[in-house]
Amino acid sequence: MAFDIDMIKKVYAQMAERVDTAREVVGKPLTLSEKILYNHLWDGKATKAFIRGKDYVDFAPDRIACQDATAQMALLQFMQAGKSKVAVPTTVHCDHLIQAKEGAAKDLLHANDVSKEVFDFLASVSNKYGIGFWKPGAGIIHQVVLENYAFPGGMMIGTDSHTVNAGGLGMVAIGVGGADAVDVMAGMAWELKFPKLIGVKLTGKLSGWTAPKDVILKVADILTVKGGTGAIVEYFGPGATAMSCTGKGTICNMGAEIGATTSTFGYDESMERYLRATDRADVADAANKVKEYLTGDAEVYANPEQYFDQVIEINLSELGPLLNGPFTPDLSTPVGKNMTEKAKANDWPIQVEWGLIGSCTNSSYEDLSRASSIAQQAIDKGLKMKSELGINPGSEQVRYTAERDGLLQIFENLNAKLFTNACGPCIGQWARYSDPKNAPKNSIVHSFNRNFAKRADGNPNTHAFVASPEITAAIAIAGRLDFNPMTDKLINENGEEVMFDEPTGWELPPKGFEVEDAGYVEPIEDGTGVSVVVDEDSERIQLLTPFEPIGSEINGAKLLIKAFGKCTTDHISMAGPWLRFRGHLDNISNNCLIGAVNAFGKKTNFVKNQLTGEFGGVPDTARAYKAAGVKSIVVGDHNYGEGSSREHAAMEPRHLGVAAVIVKSFARIHETNLKKQGMLGLTFANESDYDLIQEDDSFNFLDLNEFAPDKPLTLEIVHTDGSKEVIKLNHTYNQAQIDWYNEGSALNLIKKENA
């Protein structure tokens, strides 16, 4: 029996009428993405055709999912909204605060000890406000959502950029900041610029060593880390329908790495099989009644160029296994000799020290079964592991079933380390080194999604490469980055040459899924009597104080930092050991922009304090400006804020007195997060104006009192020699977002309206 089945049936009950109306209004056949979007309009049936990439639209998502690192700030904000219960089904999943070190049992005990205060806080807030709570060890949020909550044709938002994983079950699932989630929890509309549409036609069929992971690695190679920005990627074609549901989830999951709003697939038999296997026959039956509305119209897929803004075609029969990296998820290399050449040319370490299988991207039963088939071959053929191997199952249901079926024992027979059903190394929760900053240069291969510098283990010298679980297993056994399991032989312990056979596996467990305790805690019906206690002296949790409006006059603002090159949310607000402060805004603000490279001097966490002339860390300098009543400015490059959805990357600068972030271009979620926190997120009208900014500059906004939609702002740059430059800054604020700015934050406006 599915969770929230009545809500799902309601979505399907209105779908035919709403989609038919939208088709008439738009005047042409519809993609799946458009059907889902038009079925979830806040105002009901469509009355106009929205312009992709331009019109801001209010939507009514069906549900919300939050992971423990982002849930803290989201729920701290919701507690200020003046509501007694969440307005839509919401869940919290404890998967980010469990560090991988010694193995599943010890690591989980340690997490429950050191993060007890946070887990208790999340559990009590969930119980009070009607939120489903998944305990530590229950699994990784996106795998648990796919197994329990995702449904074809639905719309959900989540406070994690990889919420998009649910597209594997035909959803439009979008990663957002916690303030966006709070809007929906409080019963408000959720606003999104109507996305552009990228169609990916998959022909042929995956076989041999090629996996669904290789599809998205190829798409990332084609589109790059920002090529999907502002767009939904919709997959279709015979290659799509031939793929498993969890394989589709893998592809959608890594759509976050190309900046896509989300990715999705049309409802098909693989999704129906997965729904029935995960005890949701009721959802499958309901979906089958409206299945023509749960995929794109036939005319769209027959002539995709007429209906998508961009079309990519990939023949899966010609696609081979890939390795993407290091330091960026879009640098793609075919396995084998191509890697030999690239590694030598770029001085990448050929020896592989670790292989890691799991994360929200590749931790399904199918993934573990295919990787275990390679591990079993190593045992049968007398091969010894040349690298360390770590396994993170995606959920307790997957772990329990895989253990029952002997898959985990195969890995243990190779001395692999089984970690908790949690994110672990994928998000920097990996105690690999005692001193990561001074750790040696090395290579690792993993089936995760991101591989930015320091992402997994805090070591800037770790070269991380992304691959499928089966390729990860093979390379970990061989111990070489350039190993090609399709052509290369290995020497076993008897001195014999052996080769791997192609991986095999099961789309779904032959004996079905099984679990004793999935880790779910249902909230009580009436939580008004539940008290949420926060210790004033806590280092982990801090109740929020509303932000004051920045105002219509910004004069004499100082440059805090001019970020050089790639500046992701990891650079702005690091994860790893800082995750422990995700519920304490003042404490976590001590990591604000410490990973960003200063354009002046090319160092991290080393900027000039214009009030004293001395150099210091970014947070310390920001606090000095704030204490002196001086506003500060951050300047950045292209795709500023790419990566995780963490709103701390916006809240920390806001807390430290930053008034505006001015960049060449933004990643979508981060730009929205800045707006939600009542800040100015602006772009250079002329990108070359980035070069005008000098280390000692001050800034005056000349017409902020005329802040209005579609009207650029004028900035005066004052240099220390007294010379001045006047430049134009573009923005994408609509009137509602300008109202957020004027009130100090979106949350302030919600509180005002509720009052």
Side-chain angles (χ1 to χ4, degrees):
M1 179 74 172
F3 287 95
D4 309 305
I5 186 63
D6 291 337
M7 176 270 286
I8 295 170
K9 288 180 177 178
K10 181 182 175 184
V11 172
Y12 290 158
Q14 70 188 25
M15 195 159 197
E17 183 181 13
R18 288 194 174 190
V19 171
D20 289 345
T21 300
R23 196 185 287 112
E24 289 178 20
V25 169
V26 174
K28 59 181 180 180
L30 297 177
T31 64
L32 167 65
S33 306
E34 289 171 312
K35 290 180 181 181
I36 298 174
L37 292 171
Y38 278 109
N39 188 38
H40 286 85
L41 297 179
W42 179 259
D43 293 328
K45 290 191 292 185
T47 57
K48 61 172 282 190
F50 295 107
I51 301 172
R52 299 176 192 168
K54 184 177 180 182
D55 287 342
Y56 281 93
V57 182
D58 285 342
F59 291 103
D62 301 312
R63 66 175 315 110
I64 298 168
C66 310
Q67 39 93 334
D68 49 355
T70 53
Q72 296 170 63
M73 198 57 71
L75 296 183
L76 283 164
Q77 291 177 89
F78 179 73
M79 288 168 66
Q80 291 191 48
K83 295 287 186 178
S84 61
K85 198 168 189 176
V86 289
V88 302
T90 302
T91 52
V92 166
H93 304 256
C94 296
D95 62 356
H96 273 55
L97 299 179
I98 303 167
Q99 189 176 52
K101 185 177 182 181
E102 298 185 63
K106 289 183 179 178
D107 292 346
L108 184 56
L109 281 173
H110 180 69
N112 277 320
D113 179 30
V114 300
S115 291
K116 182 179 187 302
E117 179 186 8
V118 175
F119 295 145
D120 287 350
F121 168 76
L122 294 174
S124 63
V125 177
S126 296
N127 203 25
K128 182 175 183 65
Y129 294 108
I131 297 168
F133 182 72
W134 290 80
K135 296 183 293 187
I140 304 171
I141 176 173
H142 310 304
Q143 181 65 30
V144 172
V145 165
L146 197 72
E147 291 176 15
N148 294 278
Y149 298 113
F151 67 97
M155 173 184 271
M156 70 174 287
I157 58 173
T159 60
D160 187 283
S161 51
H162 292 101
T163 300
V164 294
N165 189 80
L169 250 176
M171 291 196 92
V172 162
I174 300 174
V176 299
D180 274 6
V182 170
D183 284 356
V184 180
M185 288 182 200
M188 313 279 281
W190 175 62
E191 183 187 66
L192 177 72
K193 187 184 286 185
F194 204 83
K196 293 185 177 181
L197 299 174
I198 298 174
V200 179
K201 183 178 182 180
L202 302 179
T203 61
K205 191 173 182 179
L206 293 171
S207 62
W209 285 90
T210 311
K213 184 63 161 277
D214 298 303
V215 178
I216 186 57
L217 295 180
K218 183 63 178 177
V219 172
D221 178 49
I222 294 169
L223 288 175
T224 77
V225 290
K226 58 181 181 180
T229 302
I232 293 179
V233 182
E234 185 171 323
Y235 292 84
F236 62 96
T241 53
M243 200 180 293
S244 70
C245 178
T246 52
K248 293 178 173 74
T250 291
I251 291 170
C252 293
N253 180 293
M254 258 193 82
E257 274 53 69
I258 57 171
T261 302
T262 191
S263 304
T264 194
F265 285 77
Y267 179 60
D268 59 22
E269 292 178 1
S270 73
M271 294 184 191
E272 181 179 355
R273 289 193 297 272
Y274 188 74
L275 286 169
R276 295 189 187 282
T278 52
D279 197 27
R280 289 176 289 171
D282 45 357
V283 178
D285 291 340
N288 285 341
K289 294 175 183 176
V290 291
K291 60 183 177 182
E292 68 270 26
Y293 291 96
L294 301 176
T295 189
D297 287 336
E299 300 95 318
V300 170
Y301 295 156
N303 300 287
E305 290 80 7
Q306 297 178 24
Y307 302 100
F308 291 97
D309 298 290
Q310 182 180 355
V311 177
I312 297 167
E313 185 167 338
I314 298 174
N315 185 341
L316 302 183
S317 302
E318 298 173 357
L319 183 66
L322 299 169
L323 279 166
N324 282 29
F327 306 129
T328 185
D330 58 356
L331 179 58
S332 192
T333 307
V335 299
K337 64 178 183 180
N338 299 78
M339 180 56 77
T340 310
E341 296 163 2
K342 267 193 186 179
K344 286 180 180 176
N346 293 284
D347 196 27
W348 299 338
I350 284 289
Q351 181 183 349
V352 172
E353 294 193 2
W354 270 88
L356 296 156
I357 295 169
S359 88
C360 61
T361 321
N362 280 107
S363 56
S364 66
Y365 185 90
E366 179 181 36
D367 292 326
L368 294 182
S369 70
R370 285 178 65 84
S372 71
S373 78
I374 303 304
Q376 185 63 55
Q377 286 187 56
I379 296 167
D380 296 341
K381 295 174 189 282
L383 293 168
K384 294 289 186 184
M385 290 287 304
K386 296 289 178 63
S387 310
E388 299 283 335
L389 183 63
I391 311 292
N392 282 80
S395 68
E396 175 58 16
Q397 179 168 264
V398 164
R399 189 212 63 79
Y400 188 95
T401 306
E403 182 179 56
R404 178 201 68 190
D405 295 348
L407 303 185
L408 299 187
Q409 187 61 52
I410 295 170
F411 293 120
E412 290 183 296
N413 291 342
L414 275 179
N415 295 317
K417 190 164 280 189
L418 298 180
F419 294 126
T420 316
N421 315 319
C423 303
C426 182
I427 55 139
Q429 283 285 51
W430 187 19
R432 183 183 180 193
Y433 299 110
S434 58
D435 182 13
K437 291 180 181 178
N438 296 304
K441 186 174 179 177
N442 73 103
S443 287
I444 65 174
V445 176
H446 59 57
S447 71
F448 306 162
N449 40 51
R450 293 199 172 127
N451 57 350
F452 304 134
K454 299 188 276 190
R455 171 80 179 184
D457 58 12
N459 178 5
N461 300 307
T462 293
H463 293 56
F465 295 84
V466 184
S468 67
E470 44 268 63
I471 288 292
T472 299
I475 287 179
I477 292 164
R480 284 184 62 86
L481 192 61
D482 57 355
F483 176 67
N484 184 345
M486 297 177 287
T487 59
D488 297 350
K489 296 177 180 177
L490 296 171
I491 306 297
N492 70 8
E493 53 192 350
N494 299 321
E496 303 162 335
E497 285 190 339
V498 297
M499 282 185 70
F500 284 116
D501 302 317
E502 292 178 352
T504 58
W506 291 274
E507 175 186 348
L508 296 163
K511 300 178 190 174
F513 284 108
E514 192 175 345
V515 68
E516 284 187 346
D517 177 9
Y520 175 68
V521 180
E522 188 168 353
I524 60 176
E525 187 62 35
D526 181 3
T528 52
V530 177
S531 59
V532 178
V533 180
V534 175
D535 186 340
E536 285 186 12
D537 297 323
S538 171
E539 291 186 344
R540 301 290 300 271
I541 304 291
Q542 178 189 47
L543 296 176
L544 293 175
T545 301
F547 289 130
E548 294 292 330
I550 290 171
S552 59
E553 289 189 13
I554 300 176
N555 294 306
K558 302 298 184 184
L559 179 70
L560 177 60
I561 187 172
K562 179 180 177 180
F564 175 79
K566 187 185 281 287
C567 191
T568 71
T569 49
D570 276 331
H571 296 93
I572 305 168
S573 175
M574 289 183 177
W578 290 96
L579 283 172
R580 66 190 302 267
F581 298 124
R582 282 284 180 87
H584 197 294
L585 181 56
D586 193 55
N587 283 347
I588 199 169
S589 292
N590 288 323
N591 79 2
C592 183
L593 285 157
I594 64 174
V597 176
N598 187 3
F600 306 105
K602 302 296 190 294
K603 294 181 179 179
T604 58
N605 203 28
F606 194 71
V607 296
K608 186 174 184 179
N609 180 335
Q610 293 186 46
L611 303 181
T612 64
E614 298 176 353
F615 286 82
V618 181
D620 294 336
T621 306
R623 289 183 190 275
Y625 288 146
K626 182 180 179 182
V630 175
K631 295 181 173 67
S632 56
I633 303 291
V634 171
V635 172
D637 212 317
H638 274 299
N639 209 27
Y640 183 88
E642 71 172 279
S644 165
S645 70
R646 69 193 67 155
E647 66 193 310
H648 301 74
M651 295 185 79
E652 291 174 32
R654 178 73 162 101
H655 176 65
L656 296 181
V658 174
V661 179
I662 306 169
V663 300
K664 293 180 182 178
S665 65
F666 282 109
R668 174 189 61 86
I669 299 176
H670 187 64
E671 181 182 21
T672 301
N673 285 346
L674 292 172
K675 294 177 178 180
K676 288 275 181 178
Q677 301 307 331
M679 296 174 72
L680 293 173
L682 309 168
T683 55
F684 293 105
N686 296 305
E687 288 182 8
S688 60
D689 288 345
Y690 170 91
D691 300 322
L692 298 176
I693 308 300
Q694 298 176 20
E695 191 168 30
D696 295 305
D697 283 347
S698 297
F699 305 91
N700 301 315
F701 283 81
L702 302 183
D703 51 7
L704 188 54
N705 59 326
E706 300 171 7
F707 192 16
D710 302 316
K711 184 176 185 274
L713 291 172
T714 308
L715 180 71
E716 181 181 64
I717 308 167
V718 182
H719 304 306
T720 49
D721 63 3
S723 63
K724 299 178 180 179
E725 321 231 21
V726 177
I727 65 171
K728 289 293 184 181
L729 302 173
N730 292 332
H731 67 84
T732 60
Y733 287 74
N734 58 28
Q735 188 54 54
Q737 294 166 342
I738 291 172
D739 291 343
W740 300 341
Y741 176 80
N742 291 334
E743 289 294 331
S745 71
L747 183 60
N748 287 355
L749 191 60
I750 290 176
K751 283 181 68 175
K752 186 176 180 180
E753 290 171 349
N754 282 339

